[in-house]
Amino acid sequence: MRNRRSTASMLVAAVLCAVCGTAPARAQQGGPPPAVLVQPAEMKPIADQSEFIGRVAAVDKVELRARVKGFLGPRKFADGDQVKKDQVLFTIEPETYQAAVDQKKAQRDAARAALANAEMQLKRAAELLRSNTGTQVTYDQRLSEQLQAKAQVEDADAQLRDAELQLSYTEIKSPIDGRVGRAAFSPGNLVSPDSGVLATVVSEHPIRVLFPVTQRELLEAKRTAGTDPAGIVVRLRLADGSVYQEKGKIDFIDVTVDAKTDGQIVRATFDNKNGVLTDGQTVRVIIEGEKVPTSVAVPQAAIAQDQSGAYLFVVNDKNVVEQKRVRTGVARDGLVAITSGLQAGERVIVQGQQRVRPGMTVNPSVAPPAASKK
């Protein structure tokens, strides 16, 4: 009986020893190498950028107003039309002002007739004085009458010019090429110089954008582009997040600095043939150098930070993980420029970093374009 129990105990012990002996082996063997996604570091142009809040301003902007009093006639445009310089947009009833012109013409003609008569009387008085049949007093009187008649002609001419000018104001013309806005008054309304703006005409091509820049930012932008401000490229980010297709150029920097903000107003000019930009519109202004430097670039998702700074993981030719301490530069469009610590072509882990550590063997796969941007 004792032999049976001893045999059973030996069998149990053997089984336990077998189990205990194989457990460490499995732990040492472990599972398959963790899978990670990698992407080779590439040389790419990444521009240093600065963004500012700007406002669109038309190159020319004219507010049309009535300069004489009267009832508006038929409108000569539709709201939003493109108009040409000297195109008639509004009319004010001209009859009253035409009558004033006709009256001034008649007064001018009468003054000219009186001048002609006064000149003949002066001529006769001069002949009589030379023949000693006339007196000096008579001659002086005729000379005074001739001068008065001449002054009356000049006064009549001036009044006629004023009447013609008032008549011309009954046609309200656009002084510039541009796009006309909404009309504030309908035909038949009584308007006068006190009525305010009838409509606004703006010149939208080209168009300007004004934005404030601090002294420090302005110096950095000039340093990036070189000494020539023409080396600075200006882009616009619109309200929907899209970037305006046309590039702009800085053509003016204000001559004074705002003491409260330490900023200067900078102006950039853009083509606006398609009319995307509108006077008064708010945009984000992006400034970058025209010559974009090329740098080693990796996806931003590959960069991690600790107390010692930025680092990333790479996979060597033996599929072993290595940690690289790097210095980062410009970040743009999901990419980060690496200024030191990484070479182009090295396989950078862009997904799965949480499952690896230096010295670990991994199973790398090349990240598809969509995954590399995460």
Side-chain angles (χ1 to χ4, degrees):
M1 189 70 177
R2 288 180 180 178
N3 292 335
R4 291 181 179 177
R5 289 180 178 176
S6 298
T7 303
S9 298
M10 292 175 62
L11 290 173
V12 171
V15 171
L16 289 175
C17 289
V19 172
C20 293
T22 56
R26 291 178 181 173
Q28 291 176 0
Q29 182 180 0
V36 294
L37 293 180
V38 298
Q39 181 178 342
E42 298 178 317
M43 298 295 295
K44 289 189 175 182
I46 302 181
D48 192 4
Q49 294 182 338
S50 299
E51 286 199 13
F52 308 90
I53 301 297
R55 190 169 297 277
V56 179
V59 173
D60 292 312
K61 180 178 179 180
V62 180
E63 294 179 341
L64 303 177
R65 299 173 183 266
R67 302 180 70 174
V68 293
K69 186 176 182 179
F71 292 96
L72 279 179
R75 191 183 306 161
K76 303 295 184 177
F77 69 95
D79 295 346
D81 276 357
Q82 291 289 335
V83 297
K84 296 294 185 181
K85 182 180 179 181
D86 294 329
Q87 179 178 336
V88 177
L89 303 181
F90 293 96
T91 59
I92 297 175
E93 55 176 355
E95 290 78 10
T96 301
Y97 299 96
Q98 182 62 57
V101 169
D102 295 340
Q103 182 183 22
K104 298 304 179 182
K105 284 182 178 179
Q107 292 176 357
R108 180 202 59 186
D109 293 342
R112 287 178 176 178
L115 175 61
N117 181 63
E119 288 177 343
M120 287 188 296
Q121 295 297 328
L122 177 62
K123 183 177 180 181
R124 290 172 183 172
E127 291 174 353
L128 291 175
L129 183 61
R130 283 195 298 270
S131 62
N132 295 324
T133 56
T135 63
Q136 185 65 42
V137 173
T138 302
Y139 175 81
D140 293 341
Q141 183 178 359
R142 297 295 180 263
L143 178 60
S144 175
E145 292 173 351
Q146 187 265 347
L147 292 176
Q148 292 178 14
K150 186 176 181 180
Q152 289 176 356
V153 170
E154 293 175 351
D155 179 67
D157 285 338
Q159 292 189 36
L160 176 59
R161 288 196 299 271
D162 180 70
E164 291 174 339
L165 186 62
Q166 297 296 314
L167 177 61
S168 69
Y169 292 157
T170 61
E171 288 187 339
I172 302 175
K173 302 177 181 180
S174 173
I176 60 173
D177 293 343
R179 188 162 64 95
V180 63
R182 180 179 59 87
F185 294 88
S186 299
N189 280 278
L190 180 65
V191 295
S192 70
D194 297 329
S195 298
V197 179
L198 303 182
T200 302
V201 180
V202 295
S203 176
E204 296 182 325
H205 173 63
I207 204 163
R208 294 168 175 165
V209 175
L210 305 177
F211 55 100
V213 178
T214 65
Q215 291 297 293
R216 179 177 178 180
E217 292 167 329
L218 188 60
L219 290 173
E220 289 178 352
K222 288 182 178 179
R223 193 175 297 114
T224 300
T227 57
D228 186 6
I232 299 175
V233 175
V234 187
R235 298 179 182 271
L236 299 180
R237 194 181 305 280
L238 305 179
D240 61 356
S242 63
V243 176
Y244 185 56
Q245 61 182 0
E246 299 290 344
K247 297 179 182 179
K249 287 290 184 181
I250 293 176
D251 61 357
F252 174 75
I253 300 176
D254 203 354
V255 295
T256 60
V257 178
D258 190 332
K260 296 180 181 179
T261 63
D262 190 39
Q264 282 179 265
I265 296 298
V266 178
R267 187 180 72 192
T269 302
F270 294 81
D271 287 333
N272 191 37
K273 296 178 181 179
N274 51 11
V276 172
L277 302 179
T278 305
D279 181 66
Q281 178 180 355
T282 300
V283 293
R284 296 195 68 87
V285 183
I286 304 171
I287 290 183
E288 62 187 21
E290 190 171 25
K291 296 181 179 179
V292 181
T294 301
S295 307
V296 178
V298 298
Q300 197 163 9
I303 305 294
Q305 292 278 346
D306 60 14
Q307 293 180 349
S308 299
Y311 67 92
L312 48 75
F313 293 112
V314 300
V315 178
N316 62 20
D317 54 358
K318 296 181 180 179
N319 292 340
V320 175
V321 176
E322 297 178 0
Q323 185 185 53
K324 294 274 188 174
R325 290 286 174 179
V326 295
R327 289 185 180 180
T328 59
V330 179
R332 179 181 175 187
D333 298 333
L335 296 177
V336 179
I338 304 299
T339 59
S340 66
L342 186 70
Q343 299 295 323
E346 293 192 76
R347 296 185 296 172
V348 178
I349 298 178
V350 297
Q351 187 171 317
Q353 301 97 314
Q354 299 82 0
R355 301 190 298 271
V356 302
R357 64 181 183 274
M360 179 181 290
T361 300
V362 294
N363 180 20
S365 300
V366 178
S372 65
K373 294 181 181 180
K374 290 181 180 179

